[in-house]
Amino acid sequence: MKTVLITGANRGIGLALAELYVAQGWQVLACCRKPEEAMQLQALAQQDNALSVHRLDITDFEQIDKLAEQINDQAIDVLLSNAGMYGPKGYGLDDIDFAQWQQVMSTNVLAVAKLAQAFLPHLLKASTPVFAALSSKVGSHTENTKGGGYIYRSSKAALNSVVKSLSNDLLSRGIKTVSLHPGWVKTEMGGPNALIDAATSAKGLKQVIDALSPEQSGGFYTYLGERIPW
Ligand SMILES: NC(=O)c1ccc[n+]([C@@H]2O[C@H](COP(=O)([O-])OP(=O)(O)OC[C@H]3O[C@@H](n4cnc5c(N)ncnc54)[C@H](OP(=O)(O)O)[C@@H]3O)[C@@H](O)[C@H]2O)c1
């Protein structure tokens, strides 16, 4: 049985990914900040003991180390770094909230590098491991024609840089790494006007991960497998 670890698995795309992987017979290590409030995830765990719920605030590095230690014998075939935050909306160059920017960078960038570091031994135990990070098309410099969005854009651009370096460092050790744009998805972050639902996004993301070749490692792809320019 293959194992996936998913961060932010209590709602949105993370929850849809957890539902999909468990339905397809995977062992799912579903991580979230507040397991006691993650009712849908707890219900899934009740239905299928292949899914377990783990407390994990990704900005709490002690918690990351503790979880890595708790499951130290466990091979992880796919690590899905899904948890992320958008940060403030509706601001301009004149009124950037720099404290919030730091929070977004901590969550979307530093925490993802910490996850890769802490769970590297678990990935190395798997036969064809993948480290997949949920990025966003708005982190593409090429596609940034409108400006604005300093906080979220810069966090996802920096995340892409982390993913690229991880790929250069880890591909020779058998770990493929990828940045994925999930589409514009109807979740709390994506809002009600988004184009696709979370189940459609999750299905596409899993297909891209399943088919990922070593040549594609370090790349940036949509949930439909289309390459996104940096
Ligand atoms: N929706 C879109 O259209 C869209 C488009 C492009 C990229 N993305 C990316 O896709 C990923 C998932 O997005 P989504 O739409 O599902 O977002 P969402 O509905 O806002 O859910 C965000 C998830 O991240 C978790 N999270 C945030 N900070 C965390 C932390 N410090 N520790 C642990 N978990 C944390 C949240 O947990 P809590 O419930 O505890 O807050 C929640 O589970 C994100 O990385 C996002 O940037 C989304």
Side-chain angles (χ1 to χ4, degrees), residues 49-100:
N49 61 14
L51 184 143
S52 53
V53 183
H54 303 268
R55 182 181 303 279
L56 189 63
D57 178 332
I58 58 166
T59 59
D60 182 338
F61 288 8
E62 275 179 33
Q63 253 183 40
I64 293 182
D65 285 333
K66 207 168 123 195
L67 180 60
E69 173 69 29
Q70 262 170 23
I71 61 164
N72 66 348
D73 292 334
Q74 176 75 60
I76 295 178
D77 296 278
V78 175
L79 196 155
L80 257 161
S81 171
N82 161 78
M85 60 183 290
Y86 192 87
K89 290 184 178 168
Y91 65 89
L93 182 57
D94 293 343
D95 56 353
I96 292 172
D97 183 332
F98 288 95
Q100 288 273 0

Side-chain angles (χ1 to χ4, degrees), residues 8-14 33 56-59 82-85 107 134-136 152 156 181-185 187-190:
N10 55 310
R11 62 185 169 97
I13 300 166
R33 283 197 271 210
L56 189 63
D57 178 332
I58 58 166
T59 59
N82 161 78
M85 60 183 290
T107 306
L134 272 275
S135 181
S136 172
Y152 188 66
K156 293 301 190 181
H181 170 67
W184 185 19
V185 190
T187 62
E188 212 167 300
M189 189 185 294

Side-chain angles (χ1 to χ4, degrees), residues 16-226:
L17 286 163
E19 288 169 344
L20 178 68
Y21 273 91
V22 80
Q24 294 195 3
W26 284 56
Q27 180 180 2
V28 179
L29 307 174
C31 302
C32 61
R33 283 197 271 210
K34 294 181 182 158
E36 62 282 1
E37 292 175 13
M39 295 310 161
Q40 284 171 278
L41 207 50
Q42 296 291 1
L44 265 185
Q46 291 286 322
Q47 283 162 25
D48 195 330
N49 61 14
L51 184 143
S52 53
V53 183
H54 303 268
R55 182 181 303 279
L56 189 63
D57 178 332
I58 58 166
T59 59
D60 182 338
F61 288 8
E62 275 179 33
Q63 253 183 40
I64 293 182
D65 285 333
K66 207 168 123 195
L67 180 60
E69 173 69 29
Q70 262 170 23
I71 61 164
N72 66 348
D73 292 334
Q74 176 75 60
I76 295 178
D77 296 278
V78 175
L79 196 155
L80 257 161
S81 171
N82 161 78
M85 60 183 290
Y86 192 87
K89 290 184 178 168
Y91 65 89
L93 182 57
D94 293 343
D95 56 353
I96 292 172
D97 183 332
F98 288 95
Q100 288 273 0
W101 197 343
Q102 281 179 330
Q103 180 61 30
V104 172
M105 294 302 279
S106 293
T107 306
N108 292 0
V109 189
L110 280 66
V112 182
K114 174 64 188 176
L115 288 167
Q117 189 189 58
F119 292 103
L120 178 60
H122 309 73
L123 288 163
L124 287 169
K125 286 188 174 77
S127 54
T128 54
V130 177
F131 182 92
L134 272 275
S135 181
S136 172
K137 218 170 169 173
V138 302
S140 162
H141 298 309
T142 310
E143 304 224 349
N144 181 359
T145 52
K146 287 189 187 149
Y150 293 90
I151 296 178
Y152 188 66
R153 276 191 200 285
S154 64
S155 75
K156 293 301 190 181
L159 168 65
N160 288 346
S161 184
V162 169
V163 166
K164 183 70 183 161
S165 280
L166 285 172
S167 179
N168 289 341
D169 289 343
L170 300 178
L171 188 58
S172 60
R173 301 173 78 181
I175 302 174
K176 289 174 280 183
T177 310
V178 68
S179 269
L180 295 170
H181 170 67
W184 185 19
V185 190
K186 290 186 181 96
T187 62
E188 212 167 300
M189 189 185 294
N193 297 327
L195 299 177
I196 56 170
D197 61 22
T200 304
S201 174
K203 189 174 167 216
L205 291 168
K206 185 171 183 301
Q207 280 170 355
V208 175
I209 293 168
D210 286 346
L212 194 73
S213 67
E215 294 70 32
Q216 288 176 303
S217 183
F220 186 17
Y221 296 93
T222 71
Y223 75 108
L224 295 173
E226 305 143 333

